[in-house]
Amino acid sequence: LLLAPQVRLVMKAHSFIRENVPRVLSSAKDKSGTVHIPRISQYLYFLFAPTLIYRDNYPRNPMIRWGYVATKFAQVLGSLFYAYYIFVRLCIPQFHNSSQETFSLRGLVLCIFNSILPGVLILFLVFFAFLHCWLNAFAEMLRFADRMFYK
């Protein structure tokens, strides 16, 4: 749970350094008095923007569509509740029944195989909730206009 944000920050720091160090080094070689260093506001925007590629400026929407943001957050909540429902109804009973029986390899394998489909469905719901809904909601709140950035 803590590793994902740390990996994201390391990747963003790498992108920031990779984009800015060559500019600083080239201006130091030219011995020109002006060195373009990004402002703190540009770096903070990059930290929260749903992209891993640093640019000084990103395309921005003129306004925030708050209805779209509310819809995306509602989809996140709906996905989490649905994942909880699947977990409680399909996964927990499998392992609850196995805890009352004596241990056998056959019973363990059956529990695991009976939990594969619900587990994959929960995985898809979590990916949909985070990668689609959560990141699009924050992109809209930050007025990040380039939703097809990686194409």
Side-chain angles (χ1 to χ4, degrees):
L1 187 62
L2 294 176
L3 190 61
Q6 290 173 350
V7 168
R8 181 184 64 88
L9 286 175
V10 166
M11 289 168 45
K12 283 187 177 251
H14 173 74
S15 176
F16 180 77
I17 291 169
R18 186 178 171 133
E19 290 293 322
N20 288 305
V21 166
R23 279 193 273 179
V24 171
L25 292 177
S26 68
S27 65
K29 280 183 187 177
D30 298 340
K31 301 214 184 328
S32 60
T34 60
V35 177
H36 177 71
I37 298 174
R39 296 187 316 265
I40 293 292
S41 61
Q42 290 172 322
Y43 182 68
L44 286 176
Y45 182 83
F46 169 64
L47 283 181
F48 291 101
T51 182
L52 293 174
I53 300 172
Y54 177 79
R55 299 285 182 258
D56 287 334
N57 295 311
Y58 295 98
R60 306 280 298 269
N61 286 333
M63 57 182 285
I64 299 172
R65 298 175 295 172
W66 290 107
Y68 181 80
V69 173
T71 302
K72 291 300 172 191
F73 281 133
Q75 287 176 350
V76 169
L77 285 175
S79 297
L80 292 177
F81 281 127
Y82 189 49
Y84 173 76
Y85 177 79
I86 291 171
F87 189 72
V88 167
R89 290 292 182 174
L90 298 175
C91 292
I92 290 178
Q94 293 293 324
F95 290 98
H96 182 67
N97 293 337
S98 67
S99 67
Q100 296 171 351
E101 301 169 1
T102 59
F103 177 77
S104 69
L105 185 59
R106 180 182 181 276
L108 179 65
V109 170
L110 283 175
C111 284
I112 290 173
F113 279 123
N114 287 335
S115 297
I116 287 175
L117 187 61
V120 169
L121 187 56
I122 289 171
L123 186 66
F124 285 146
L125 283 169
V126 169
F127 277 122
F128 171 74
F130 179 71
L131 293 177
H132 178 69
C133 299
W134 187 265
L135 291 179
N136 271 320
F138 272 92
E140 186 66 33
M141 287 189 298
L142 291 171
R143 299 182 323 162
F144 188 78
D146 198 359
R147 304 290 168 83
M148 305 303 271
F149 188 74
Y150 291 107
K151 280 195 173 182

